Amino acid sequence: MTVDVLRPPAPAERQARAAVAVLFLTNGALFANLLPRFPQIKADLGIGNAAYGLAVAAFPAGAIAAGLAAGVLIRRLGSGRVAVAGTVLTGVGVLAAGTANSVVLFATALFLAGAMDAITDVAQNAHGLRVQRRYGRSIINSFHAIWSIGAVLGGSMAAGAIALGLSRGQHLLISGVVFGIAACVALRFCLTGPDTEPAVEGTDTEAAESEPLPEERTKAHPRTAYVLAALVLIAAAGALVEDAGSSWAALYLSDSLHASGTLAASGYIALVGAQFVGRMIGDRLVDRFGQRTVARSGGLIAAVGMGLALAVPTASGTILGFAAAGFGVATLVPAAMHEADELPGLKPGSGLTIVSWLMRLGFLLSPPAVGLVADATSLRVGLLVVPFAGLLVILLGGVLGPRRRGAV
């Protein structure tokens, strides 16, 4: 039996990996700089909860409205350029939202920021997957881990700006300029040439053999529609679990389990922290066991962990349950994006765009869905969507790739 030997990445490929990491960092940091400012914006605009909720929903609405344009832009301009342009425009939208003096302007600015964020997200993932093909092994999860670092950095910057008494305009202008410049510098080190290049020599043999050439990518395959639908559901399952943590963890712990405010905040922190750990080790796990096994194992961890937490409701058990859910879904979105980007029968960038676009519907629709179930029964019942998402991944995980021959 022979084992394929991966060539070490060239300096240009290492630089491109660092450039993509910067793009993920800036994408995570920009909007996170605005989030801690929302309470002050709401108070300054003098709006109620209903108007505030509708205004904030403009961000995912903008993402959904513009998301499908990403594939066309990537094919025409290249993923690197699109990601950087989207980053700069996201910063503009965030600044406009932070300084808006009316609810209409606030919502309009958030719509623009959401639209640009969606396009940036697809483009940076497309370029990251392109670099991954050059490496011949999984690296995409590390980029998503760096996005989490960016989100923490952005939130910390906002907290610091508030402590220093900086106005929203000063604070968000500084963050927009800093991260916009960082993205523009990163563009210098992105890969050049078309995004449809075939795999290069020296990468994993089986991966190179299975990588479709550009002219083969548009040939119709009967299973493409089914696989794409399954990938959308897998990505949406990951998004649903993330949203359950951000939207409902603190509320469930405080209202249903009577936890203190500090302890209640630990539910979301546990989910995000465990997700970060899962993404940091995710690439090694994928290379060793394959996307399929890692995703199904993660789905089982999420389903069992959160299922037990809901079956025996305690504050500490629920926090551990959210941690298990975050760890379990850590690789789902990157895995679905990777597989969608490789699907035959679609134009380059189309599969990735569709998965990213429809995944955002999960972020938009899951809060009201859980809320309706919670109003009709209880929030504990509504949070059953988390173990259900884990079971869905176990069921559909077969569409993901197996372990590559020669991977260690």
Side-chain angles (χ1 to χ4, degrees):
M1 181 178 70
T2 60
V3 177
D4 300 321
V5 179
L6 301 181
R7 65 169 179 83
E13 290 160 357
R14 292 194 185 96
Q15 292 174 352
R17 181 177 184 177
V20 175
V22 170
L23 293 176
F24 272 81
L25 181 79
T26 58
N27 183 249
L30 275 172
F31 191 61
N33 266 279
L34 179 62
L35 289 174
R37 294 289 197 168
F38 274 177
Q40 184 185 7
I41 293 172
K42 180 177 180 292
D44 288 350
L45 294 179
I47 54 178
N49 290 326
Y52 169 75
L54 288 173
V56 172
F59 188 88
I64 292 169
L68 289 179
V72 176
L73 292 173
I74 289 170
R75 288 191 293 274
R76 290 184 178 179
L77 303 175
S79 55
R81 292 189 185 94
V82 172
V84 171
T87 297
V88 173
L89 291 174
T90 299
V92 172
V94 166
L95 175 61
T99 56
N101 57 11
S102 73
V103 67
V104 173
L105 290 177
F106 177 56
T108 302
L110 284 179
F111 186 91
L112 169 65
M116 294 302 102
D117 179 76
I119 291 172
T120 303
D121 185 44
V122 175
Q124 68 187 11
N125 274 284
H127 207 81
L129 291 169
R130 185 181 169 196
V131 175
Q132 176 172 278
R133 287 192 287 272
R134 292 286 195 95
Y135 267 68
R137 57 184 173 85
S138 179
I139 60 173
I140 191 66
N141 289 289
S142 67
F143 294 138
H144 285 257
I146 290 170
W147 185 94
S148 299
I149 294 175
V152 173
L153 173 62
S156 301
M157 287 176 62
I162 293 171
L164 291 172
L166 293 180
S167 69
R168 293 196 300 272
Q170 291 171 327
H171 159 218
L172 296 174
L173 177 62
I174 291 171
S175 68
V177 169
V178 168
F179 293 118
I181 291 174
C184 290
V185 172
L187 180 60
R188 295 184 55 197
F189 301 98
C190 288
L191 296 176
T192 59
D195 283 77
T196 55
E197 60 186 355
V200 297
E201 292 182 5
T203 57
D204 179 270
T205 302
E206 183 172 343
E209 289 173 353
S210 62
E211 171 70 17
L213 295 173
E215 63 271 15
E216 295 175 329
R217 293 289 297 267
T218 56
K219 291 182 179 179
H221 290 253
R223 292 186 70 250
T224 296
Y226 161 74
V227 173
L228 185 60
L231 293 174
V232 167
L233 290 175
I234 289 172
L240 187 151
V241 172
E242 289 182 33
D243 183 77
S246 62
S247 298
W248 302 106
L251 187 64
Y252 176 65
L253 282 162
S254 61
D255 288 1
S256 300
L257 302 182
H258 310 292
S260 65
T262 302
L263 188 61
S266 300
Y268 177 63
I269 294 172
L271 184 144
V272 174
Q275 186 181 57
F276 170 75
V277 172
R279 286 174 170 174
M280 287 298 294
I281 66 174
D283 290 316
R284 291 193 293 275
L285 293 175
V286 167
D287 283 335
R288 184 172 182 84
F289 302 108
Q291 297 275 23
R292 182 183 303 167
T293 300
V294 172
R296 281 178 161 167
S297 299
L300 180 63
I301 291 171
V304 172
M306 197 63 193
L308 288 174
L310 294 172
V312 186
T314 64
S316 58
T318 298
I319 292 170
L320 290 175
F322 276 112
F327 184 83
V329 304
T331 66
L332 293 187
V333 172
M337 288 182 169
H338 170 261
E339 295 294 332
D341 198 48
E342 303 293 323
L343 275 179
L346 298 175
K347 294 180 180 179
S350 295
L352 177 61
T353 300
I354 292 171
V355 167
S356 178
W357 181 65
L358 291 177
M359 176 189 73
R360 289 174 182 269
L361 283 175
F363 283 114
L364 183 65
L365 299 178
S366 62
V370 173
L372 286 172
V373 174
D375 285 343
T377 54
S378 68
L379 184 51
R380 180 182 172 193
V381 174
L383 286 174
L384 285 173
V385 295
V386 175
F388 173 78
L391 294 175
L392 186 66
V393 172
I394 296 172
L395 178 65
L396 299 176
V399 301
L400 298 171
R403 177 178 180 267
R404 291 201 304 263
R405 184 179 59 205
V408 293

